[in-house]
């Protein structure tokens, strides 16, 4: 038995962190949030060069064939530096389109870039929802991810199937969220024929949710690291604030909640990788749990910074908003928990 | 990452599961109360004989004598949790004193104490806390003065669990009042029947007297009861505390509690509806289940660190704080789920689960406080886990 990251996994994460420390430094994140597209393109280029698009594509289709745990480590690193990236969408697309070798080859090569319009799998608002009628898709999907620069969009229909459509055939409008580093769109389709259609299994949905949880793990860890570092340096009453027990306890509580959450992500990811029947259930629990722990960390780490935490100066709010958005994405914590209950037969 | 076990371990699991199934009818039930209950002792001896208790304790001291194997110990704990068959006896003698003795005791001490202790025939109590020394344990004042080959003890202890039933005490006494706080303490053992010891039970919130005050008036105890060396008691005590914190917050025990709660919610009905069918309660259950899975995975991580001879770091430091809190929350949900009937206690026709949930909700709060309070745990996490400044030493008043 070995419940630990492999040497390869540690190297993957460390080298990506190395790339991100240059390519996703806070100045650039600020510029991306301000809408400077050149900066976003520079980050994308660095991540493409690292090879993110091929990671999750099976070897048979020209990718690296990595697993859910590897994907979580990548997503965690992206969350740590609040780096916007289409990795999540790419990884989920590779998972959903599992059997389609030609498409996967294009994903690995970077020619096909997928966006995700899956919100309606979890919650459909009045006026939203895409219907498949006579082989054509019509309707709207809200809060689609990674639409900018996408060649294709994966759209969920009201019956729970997922279709790939050409991005050029959809009309899209930006939906402004609290998180300006990532863009979200409303996608409208008017009689668009799908290129490919699949029925997602519980594992694919759970995988998408788990990646969101891993993103929060990274963002939460970054907030703890920043809070602890700040507490060791900022002085009040003639001593560093980290020597005040109230501050120490805030930091200890954050670490005490986040550290076991990391193990939960590893376990859920590994369970998905080996096809354990509990995998999807654990991944749903992890999505909900990281939402709760992340929210606690986001608030507490901000408080440790005092007024500085509230300002734009230290930029802590980028992490706060990243965690806040992740909490709601692909289903609220309540929905993820209900999914977990369903997956273990507790709902009749 | 590899959670599957080698075939030898799968075979071991099957063996454990078979032994448990075969003997389950001999296990004590909630009827078999009390410390020296014959059925409990017989069960404990059976478990030792089958390698399911006292597994790594050498045969010559009454144990099963197996090589330490973290995975096998884990499998055993998991099988007890899964089957909900009563596990080996625990308590301060078995879980804290015996490991300390194995590490630091003399041959004669090991010969004298280990066998009766692990078999449940010799009960121990832990005499650490005093009225003036709780979290600040090194402030103990109970004095032990040399007199030939004896010490003469005067002073008092408090919160001493099971002192009333105990045959023996392991105790921290001040042997050098002039030395620095941590350097004048000795760890000593003696029979509770020694003249001059008076035990006064302290009733706790559960309604029973789980702990006591212990008063010492000119209590003469032989020096042979000292563990390790005079004035080295602080090191010895710290060895014991490590074992205590490992015992408090065991994720397998927590998992067993959760399974019990799920079973309750699937059978108990209100207005004709099962508790599990109430979406609010189900949501709360799932919240706790996520935490239980997290603590279990965290436990796997700690086991792996130990297998690799690495320190467990933060993953290890958070267990007492998180685990005890989680147990308490599970009991709280059980009580809420039971609604009005959740307040019943001790006996009566409508009592559910023998009143265990209310009892646990109180007792588990005691465990949040005992063995190093939640606040002390946070100090430890911050200082040792996050490398934050140590608590300032307060000037002498
Ligand atoms: C169920 C139970 C069983 C026990 N069994 C035993 C036993 O068998 N043998 C034994 O020797 N003892 C036993 N104890 C005693 C236990 O170890 C002490 O209660 C515990 O260490 C706390 O000490 P105290 O009660 O004196 O509280 P105090 O130390 O007075 O603490 C009171 C409050 O102050 C806080 N506090 C104190 N110091 C600090 C600090 N430095 N930083 C932040 N907060 C602080 C505490 O967290 C707590 O909230 C038991 C206790 C319980 C509840």
């Amino acid at each position: 038995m070995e419940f630990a990251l492999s040497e390869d996994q540690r190297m993957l994460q460390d080298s990506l962190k190395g790339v991100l420390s240059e390519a996703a430094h806070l100045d650039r994140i600020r510029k991306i949030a301000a809408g400077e597209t050149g900066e976003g393109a520079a980050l994308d280029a660095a991540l493409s060069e690292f090879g993110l698009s091929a990671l999750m594509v099976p070897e048979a289709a020209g990718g690296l064939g990595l697993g859910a745990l590897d994907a979580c480590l990548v997503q965690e690193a992206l969350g740590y530096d609040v780096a916007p990236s289409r990795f999540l969408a790419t990884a989920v697309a590779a998972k959903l389109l599992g059997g389609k070798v030609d498409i996967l080859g294009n994903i690995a090569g970077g020619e096909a870039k997928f966006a995700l319009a899956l919100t309606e799998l979890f919650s459909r608002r009045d006026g939203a929802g895409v219907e498949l009628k006579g082989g054509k898709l019509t309707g709207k999907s809200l809060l689609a991810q990674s639409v900018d620069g996408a060649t294709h969009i994966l759209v969920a229909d009201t019956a729970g199937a997922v279709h790939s459509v050409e991005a050029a055939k959809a009309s899209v409008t930006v939906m402004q969220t609290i998180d300006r580093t990532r863009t979200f769109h409303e996608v409208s389709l008017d009689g668009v024929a799908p290129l490919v259609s699949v029925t997602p299994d519980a594992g694919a949905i759970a995988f998408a949710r788990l990646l969101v949880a891993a993103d929060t793990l990274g963002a939460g860890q970054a907030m703890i690291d920043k809070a602890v570092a700040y507490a060791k340096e900022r002085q009040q009453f003639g001593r560093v604030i980290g020597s005040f027990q109230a501050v120490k306890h805030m930091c200890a509580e954050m670490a005490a909640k986040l550290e076991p959450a990391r193990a939960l992500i590893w376990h859920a990811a590994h369970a998905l990788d080996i096809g354990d029947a509990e995998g999807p259930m654990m991944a749903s629990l992890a999505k909900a749990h990281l939402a709760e722990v992340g929210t606690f960390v986001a608030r507490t780490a901000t408080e440790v910074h005092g007024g500085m935490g509230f300002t734009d100066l230290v930029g802590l709010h980028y992490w706060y908003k990243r965690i806040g958005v992740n909490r709601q994405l692909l289903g609220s914590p309540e929905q993820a928990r209900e999914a977990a209950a369903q997956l273990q037969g507790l709902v009749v | 990452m590899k959670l599957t076990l080698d075939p030898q371990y799968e075979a071991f699991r099957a063996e454990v599961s078979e032994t448990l199934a075969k003997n389950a009818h001999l296990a004590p039930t909630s009827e078999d109360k009390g410390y020296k209950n014959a059925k409990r002792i017989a069960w404990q001896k059976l478990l030792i004989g089958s390698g399911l208790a006292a597994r790594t304790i050498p045969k010559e001291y009454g144990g099963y004598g197996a090589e330490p194997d973290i995975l096998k110990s884990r499998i055993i704990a998991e099988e007890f949790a899964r089957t909900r068959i009563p596990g080996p006896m625990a308590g301060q003698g078995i879980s804290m004193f015996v490991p300390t003795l194995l590490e630091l005791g003399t041959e004669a001490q090991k010969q004298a104490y280990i066998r009766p202790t692990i078999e449940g025939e010799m009960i121990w109590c832990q005499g650490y806390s005093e009225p003036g020394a709780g979290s600040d344990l090194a402030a103990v004042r109970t004095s032990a003065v040399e007199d030939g080959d004896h010490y003469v003890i005067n002073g008092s202890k408090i919160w001493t669990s099971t002192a009333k039933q105990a045959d023996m005490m392991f105790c921290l006494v001040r042997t050098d009042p002039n030395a620095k706080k941590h350097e004048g303490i000795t760890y000593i053992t003696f029979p509770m029947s020694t003249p001059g010891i008076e035990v006064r039970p302290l009733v706790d919130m559960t309604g029973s007297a789980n702990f006591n005050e212990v008063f010492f008036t000119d209590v003469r105890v032989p020096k042979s009861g000292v563990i390790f060396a005079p004035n080295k008691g602080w090191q010895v005590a710290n060895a014991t505390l490590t074992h205590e914190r490992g015992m408090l917050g065991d994720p397998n025990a927590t998992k067993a509690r959760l399974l019990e709660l799920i079973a309750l919610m699937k059978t108990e009905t209100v207005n004709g509806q099962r508790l599990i069918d109430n979406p609010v309660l189900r949501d709360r259950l799932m919240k706790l289940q996520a935490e239980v899975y997290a603590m279990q995975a965290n436990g796997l991580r700690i086991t792996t660190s130990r297998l690799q001879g690495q320190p467990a770091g933060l993953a290890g430091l958070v267990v007492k704080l998180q685990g005890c809190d989680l147990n308490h929350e599970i009991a709280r949900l059980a009580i809420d789920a039971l609604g009005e009937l959740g307040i019943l206690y001790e006996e009566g026709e409508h009592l559910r689960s023998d009143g265990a949930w209310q009892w646990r909700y109180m007792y588990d709060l005691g465990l949040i406080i005992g063995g190093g309070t939640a606040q002390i745990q946070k100090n430890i996490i911050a200082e040792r886990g996050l490398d934050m400044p140590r608590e300032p030493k307060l000037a002498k008043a």
Side-chain angles (χ1 to χ4, degrees), chain B residues 230-253:
Chain B
N231 297 324
K232 296 282 184 229
W234 187 248
Q235 283 105 295
V236 185
N238 274 312
T240 315
L241 282 175
T242 324
H243 298 299
E244 180 171 32
R245 284 175 195 155
M247 174 173 88
L248 300 172
D250 167 20
N252 287 309

Side-chain angles (χ1 to χ4, degrees), chain A residues 245 249, chain B residues 92 96 124-137 157-163 170 204 210-212 241 244-245 362-363 365-377 379 391:
Chain A
Q245 201 174 53
H249 283 196
Chain B
Q92 293 169 323
M96 298 171 65
W124 288 80
C125 62
Q126 177 199 42
Y128 283 9
S129 305
E130 293 181 10
S135 299
D136 186 10
L137 184 57
K157 294 288 169 181
I158 195 168
W159 320 129
T160 322
S161 305
T162 64
F170 56 95
D204 64 43
N210 290 304
F211 48 36
N212 306 268
L241 282 175
E244 180 171 32
R245 284 175 195 155
M362 292 187 262
Y363 196 74
L365 177 55
L367 297 185
I368 288 172
I369 297 167
T373 67
Q375 292 68 36
I376 295 297
Q377 299 306 315
N379 288 348
E391 286 302 290

Side-chain angles (χ1 to χ4, degrees), chain B residues 272-288:
Chain B
Q273 187 192 40
R274 297 184 312 159
L275 298 178
I276 194 78
D277 297 330
N278 175 321
V280 175
L281 295 176
R282 189 163 67 227
D283 185 65
R284 284 179 59 186
L285 179 69
M286 289 299 100
K287 245 186 197 168
L288 295 180

